[in-house]
Amino acid sequence: MDVSMLQRTYTDLLTSLFREGILNQQFIELQQLQDENNPGFVNEVVSLFFEDAGRLITELISNFNQQAVDYKKVDAYVHQLKGSSASIGAEKIRSVCQTFREYYDKNDIQGCYNCIQPLKQEFMTFKSKLEALFALEQQIVAAGGSIPMMRH
Amino acid sequence: MASSQVVKALIVDDNAMIRRIHMTMLFRFGFEITEVEDGKKAIDQFLDGNEYDLVLMDKEMPNMDGVEATRTLRGMGISTKIVAITTDSNSMGAFLDAGADEFILKPLNFPALADILKGFNFLN
């Protein structure tokens, strides 16, 4: 695939991530912090998010599988995940965390529980889409092209 | 201001990703950055004789949270500018009562940070 085709594919994928509500404006903020002095910044930050969010979701699921669920601990994990996802522009993940906290504040345990599977699903979708995006970036750079910037 | 012309900032947050993002933003302004992962380590920085012009303080952290760290710093007579940065909108009152100079909700964006720094006269 030539560079312009790769760049078009990249732009289409990135546009679709915003259109589907998977990413929000905060992601563009991060892209704008990346420059020649900091070329791998977005990739690095997203990789840190994958690690952190993956760990938190594993802890959440593990806690919900206990006989006596420690909801205070669960809420703390979701609070952390909400902060991380908001900081990286992972809008759908942030939104599910927000919904969870609203249920928690109303002591709606079933509502809380019903958020866990969607949270896991949104994280897996986010991870696979961002990995595809970064793979395209690598191909563009390897082909001698530059990464198109999104204006939002 | 701390003894050199370079603005010295301390980032206090238990999340490595968020510290990285905030550090990158502050580097754009040419600041000198130190990062720690909880409120107790932030206090220790000052107890060790380090001086900072600016502290970016998260709220929820192990060992010592941001409100308590802010209160402790003010109790020590530290007049460094403290900006509380958190997702917890309900903590604004607690942070300001503890002595924070500014309160902003996460996620932090570059223009909002620039406005705060201008307000503190950290930018030429």
Side-chain angles (χ1 to χ4, degrees), chain A residues 26 29-30 32-35 38 41 44-45 48-49 52 79-80 82-84 86-88, chain B residues 14-18 20-22 24-25 28 58 60 86-88 106-111:
Chain A
Q26 186 66 16
E29 295 280 338
L30 296 186
Q32 289 173 347
L33 288 173
Q34 183 162 296
D35 58 21
N38 215 352
F41 171 69
E44 184 190 335
V45 164
L48 285 169
F49 177 74
D52 186 52
H79 177 79
Q80 286 180 58
K82 184 182 162 197
S84 298
S87 294
I88 205 165
Chain B
D14 60 334
N15 187 303
M17 183 198 80
I18 290 176
R20 181 75 173 91
I21 293 171
H22 293 174
T24 302
M25 289 184 183
R28 281 286 182 95
D58 183 27
E60 297 291 342
T86 174
T87 53
D88 182 1
K106 283 177 182 169
L108 183 62
N109 65 57
F110 196 72

Side-chain angles (χ1 to χ4, degrees), chain A residues 38-129:
Chain A
N38 215 352
F41 171 69
V42 178
N43 199 324
E44 184 190 335
V45 164
V46 171
S47 298
L48 285 169
F49 177 74
F50 287 164
E51 266 178 53
D52 186 52
R55 176 188 59 82
L56 286 169
I57 289 172
T58 301
E59 295 280 359
L60 271 171
I61 291 170
S62 164
N63 264 274
F64 266 101
N65 287 337
Q66 312 278 357
Q67 277 211 321
V69 179
D70 183 343
Y71 282 98
K72 200 168 173 193
K73 201 181 260 190
V74 165
D75 182 58
Y77 289 140
V78 173
H79 177 79
Q80 286 180 58
L81 187 53
K82 184 182 162 197
S84 298
S85 56
S87 294
I88 205 165
E91 174 57 22
K92 283 199 174 180
I93 298 173
R94 186 209 63 79
S95 179
V96 178
C97 291
Q98 178 64 31
T99 302
F100 175 97
R101 300 210 85 209
E102 285 164 8
Y103 281 126
Y104 180 82
D105 287 344
K106 289 188 286 195
N107 289 319
D108 185 339
I109 301 307
Q110 187 60 47
C112 289
Y113 180 78
N114 290 344
C115 288
I116 299 306
Q117 208 46 44
L119 197 52
K120 184 181 172 186
Q121 189 54 54
E122 291 299 346
F123 172 68
M124 290 177 65
T125 300
F126 179 84
K127 188 164 187 277
S128 80
K129 301 262 185 182

